[in-house]
Structure formats: structure tokens, C-alpha cells
Amino acid sequence: MEANGLGPQGFPELKNDTFLRAAWGEDTDYTPVWCMRQAGRYLPEFRETRAAQDFFSTCRSPEACCELTLQPLRRFPLDAAIIFSDILVVPQALGMEVTMVPGKGPSFPEPLREERDLERLRDPAAVVSELAYVFQAITLTRQRLAGRVPLIGFAGAPWTLMTYMIEGGSSSTMAQAKRWLYQRPKASHQLLRILTDALVPYLVGQVVAGAQALQLFESHAGHLGPQLFNKFALPYIRDVAKRVKAMLQEAGLAPVPMIVFAKDGHFALEELAQAGYEVVGLDWTVAPQKARERVGKNVTLQGNLDPCALYAPEEEIGRLVKQMLDDFGPQRYIANLGHGLYPDMDPEHVGAFVDAVHKYSRALRQN
């Protein structure tokens, strides 16, 4: 590190690297904690900042993204920040129109219906220039974080992005997207390859811009059984990790830890643990001790308190956190929720969760 307190890329020197050390599998003094959707509507200041503009306009404003990313850190002693953005900026960059409908969620007015619709998609190489605003947000946030904690970048995994592009929004069955897998396997692989080719330089660009870790969200893993997952999701999850690492190395950049979070993908834990990621995120339906037995000792686990546990009284949250920490054990572990925070959650309870992790994990190490 240079003497002026700046790191190698001219960023402020990192003061708290607990999250990164845990991600790399090194010993830590306490268990680091962050929350998926920690920059979210449960915070009144978030609602205030977001009120003025439409969702994707907010995503395109580096200044707004930076402010939203930093808000939870002003309230809670979290051990990592995650850039405010959305997984659907990638389909947008590929030329698809996406709007965020209040109360309904994302909507694609013209989803992919036929094989020939793939011709409408832009060259995946164009994605990096289209998403320059995400990189600007990361660089700005990294500067303003002033080295307090590491900054996480992220993207949606190919299968999860494919579901939105075909379904045209959220779906409880993913029947349209799965129909493609069964009726048009060749076109499905073509689309998944296009998405992978877009995601790799996008994730590398996030690291170049200042992201210190990366998380890949396979949010719709649970709609696939083991066979479809192994055929249409896992190869691309593996490919993303392998190619991102190779590209970082070619560019002479230091490696960053990568996290894969496959919601409801408990049937693929062993495969995910060997997919080239340092960290495997777990949802709340997985028993920590069983997960540890299944993934072995060479990956860090992240998770997995049921987000709804934050509706419980604060003492109960403390008890649940203690149980979770006992089950995961003190090392190779990052505390998190088993999914994101919900808009109606009490910020005080989020604070109680974060404090309980720090308190109990320090106590665990002393025993």
C-alpha cells in the first residue's frame, strides 16, 4: 500500500477486510455480516431518495446508486457494501426494453417468444459500453466508502436472466422459459451463451471499476430439477467463474473472491461448491451443518437466516442468530439472510441482527 493511504488503484486503503478474509477462507476475529437488499425500501431514507425518479433512471445515475449503497452503512456496522443496481440492466444492455411496474415488478413489453427473436439481441460485446453507468457508480462509491468496508459487485446468472427475457416478468412456474429448455434446447443454449458472453466482461469491468468481490445471483435455480440445472444452469455458472478469473489474470488484476447464490438450489450444493466460486450462498431452507458436510472444507458458506425472522422480537433475533452461528461454526463463514430484506421490515431489527452476529461470533471464538 502507498504511504498516502491509497491502495493500488488509487482508492482509499481498506480498513476492514474481515469480509474478504472470510471469503478467501482465512481466519477472522469475528463473523462478517451483510444483507442482500441492504440498500432497500425498508429504509425511509431509501424511499425518499428513490421517490423522485423511475427505478431504472435511478440505476443509471451513479450519484443516486452511490447514495443508496452508502445509506445502510451509515446506520449499521455492516462488513460489506453491495452496489445498488439490478440484474436486469444486462437484458436492457442487450437491447430489450424493461420497465419496473410499481407493485408488480419488472416487465418486458416484448419478451422473447420465437427462436428468431434472438436476432433482436445486441452483440454481447456491446454490453460493457452500454453499462458504463454501473462502472461509474462503483468507482464513485468505492471512493466515498473511504476504505470503510469492501464493495461487492454482482450480476444475475444466465438461466435467471433468461427466465425474465422469455417470461416477460416474474412467474410462479417459469413454464414459458422451461418450455424453451424442452422444446428448443439448441436455442436455449444459444441464448445462455449470449448471456454468458455479456456477463463475463461486465463482471470484469466491475472489478476494474473498483468492486472487491462479485456475487452471481441464480435466483430462479429452484424452478429447475437436478437434470435441467446440470444441463442449462451449472455449465454457465462454471463458465462465468472460469472466464472472469482468466480475464482478470490476463489484465494483470488481482483476483477477487466470487460468490454464487442459487436460491432453492439445495439439490446442487456439491456441484456449486466445485463450480469455481470461493463462497456458496445458502437460502434459509438449508440446514447449515448438512450444507457444511456436503460442500466440504474448501469453500466459505454465506447465509442463511430466514429474512422473516427479522419480524421476531429483538431478543428472539439474538437467539436465532446464536443458533445459526453455532451451526455454521466460527470460520469460513459470512453471515447473511437466506434471501433479501423485505420492504416492510423494521430497520431496528436489521440493526439487532447485525449486532447479534458481531457479539455472538466474538464470544464463540473466546470459548
Side-chain angles (χ1 to χ4, degrees), residues 1-2 4-14 20 135 138-140 142-143 150-151 203-213 248 251-256:
M1 293 285 177
E2 283 98 77
N4 56 9
L6 294 177
Q9 290 160 282
F11 289 120
E13 201 173 337
L14 186 59
L20 292 179
F135 306 142
I138 287 173
T139 302
L140 180 65
R142 178 84 189 268
Q143 294 287 3
L151 179 61
L203 287 165
V204 170
Q206 291 187 47
V207 176
V208 173
Q212 290 152 291
L248 288 174
L253 287 159
V256 300

Side-chain angles (χ1 to χ4, degrees), residues 6-337:
L6 294 177
Q9 290 160 282
F11 289 120
E13 201 173 337
L14 186 59
K15 301 184 190 85
N16 172 1
D17 65 350
T18 312
F19 162 80
L20 292 179
R21 289 215 319 274
W24 286 119
E26 296 165 20
D27 283 3
T28 58
D29 303 335
Y30 65 89
T31 298
V33 56
W34 66 280
C35 299
M36 288 183 268
R37 274 197 236 127
Q38 62 191 29
R41 284 177 294 174
Y42 73 101
L43 290 174
E45 59 269 36
F46 178 97
R47 296 195 296 271
E48 213 170 290
T49 308
R50 277 272 300 106
Q53 53 189 167
D54 122 288
F55 180 81
F56 285 109
S57 310
T58 305
C59 289
R60 282 190 286 273
S61 158
E63 195 61 54
C65 291
C66 174
E67 169 57 24
L68 293 168
T69 302
L70 296 176
Q71 283 175 351
L73 295 165
R74 294 188 191 122
R75 274 190 188 247
F76 316 116
L78 293 153
D79 293 291
I82 182 164
I83 194 69
F84 177 82
S85 185
D86 195 86
I87 64 171
L88 299 181
V89 298
V90 169
Q92 274 182 337
L94 286 167
M96 293 190 80
E97 191 193 335
V98 192
T99 56
M100 198 58 83
V101 182
K104 187 187 152 208
S107 173
F108 288 67
E110 292 181 44
L112 305 174
R113 285 282 170 253
E114 307 291 333
E115 259 170 80
R116 63 169 182 268
D117 292 341
L118 297 181
E119 292 159 26
R120 298 194 334 234
L121 299 176
R122 272 194 201 114
D123 177 355
V127 166
V128 170
S129 53
E130 290 287 326
L131 295 176
Y133 61 85
V134 179
F135 306 142
Q136 287 158 12
I138 287 173
T139 302
L140 180 65
T141 307
R142 178 84 189 268
Q143 294 287 3
R144 297 232 179 117
L145 267 170
R148 193 185 331 177
V149 293
L151 179 61
I152 305 170
F154 71 89
W159 157 250
T160 292
L161 295 178
M162 172 181 171
T163 63
Y164 282 107
M165 293 161 80
I166 291 172
E167 297 286 344
S170 303
S171 154
S172 59
T173 59
M174 299 297 160
Q176 293 306 317
K178 287 175 77 173
R179 173 193 290 242
W180 271 57
L181 303 183
Y182 283 111
Q183 288 186 349
R184 304 176 179 143
K186 223 172 116 195
S188 297
H189 282 299
Q190 191 190 339
L191 174 54
L192 291 161
R193 271 196 300 275
I194 291 169
L195 286 163
T196 305
D197 290 345
L199 286 168
V200 170
Y202 175 51
L203 287 165
V204 170
Q206 291 187 47
V207 176
V208 173
Q212 290 152 291
L214 296 170
Q215 176 153 315
L216 192 71
F217 284 88
E218 188 69 281
S219 311
H220 296 162
H223 290 277
L224 302 174
Q227 286 170 316
L228 287 180
F229 186 85
N230 288 343
K231 196 168 165 191
F232 293 102
L234 189 63
Y236 300 98
I237 288 173
R238 278 200 195 114
D239 207 30
V240 166
K242 194 169 100 190
R243 288 169 59 188
V244 165
K245 289 177 179 196
M247 253 181 106
L248 288 174
Q249 202 175 355
E250 278 160 36
L253 287 159
V256 300
M258 294 181 70
I259 307 165
V260 61
F261 175 65
K263 185 167 184 298
D264 298 319
H266 41 79
F267 51 82
L269 275 185
E270 289 86 349
E271 290 80 0
L272 289 165
Q274 288 162 25
Y277 293 77
E278 283 70 31
V279 184
V280 174
L282 304 176
D283 63 51
W284 70 91
T285 64
V286 181
Q289 288 155 318
K290 286 198 180 136
R292 180 68 76 193
E293 282 162 28
R294 289 174 57 191
V295 306
K297 293 184 168 55
N298 297 329
V299 296
T300 293
L301 290 175
Q302 174 177 281
N304 71 340
L305 192 73
D306 179 357
C308 292
L310 297 189
Y311 294 127
E314 290 185 25
E315 315 76 78
E316 175 69 2
I317 292 171
R319 201 185 62 71
L320 293 165
V321 165
K322 189 166 185 288
Q323 180 68 59
M324 176 173 83
L325 294 177
D326 283 339
D327 289 349
F328 275 105
Q331 302 298 348
R332 276 204 176 272
Y333 173 51
I334 296 161
N336 205 311
L337 302 171

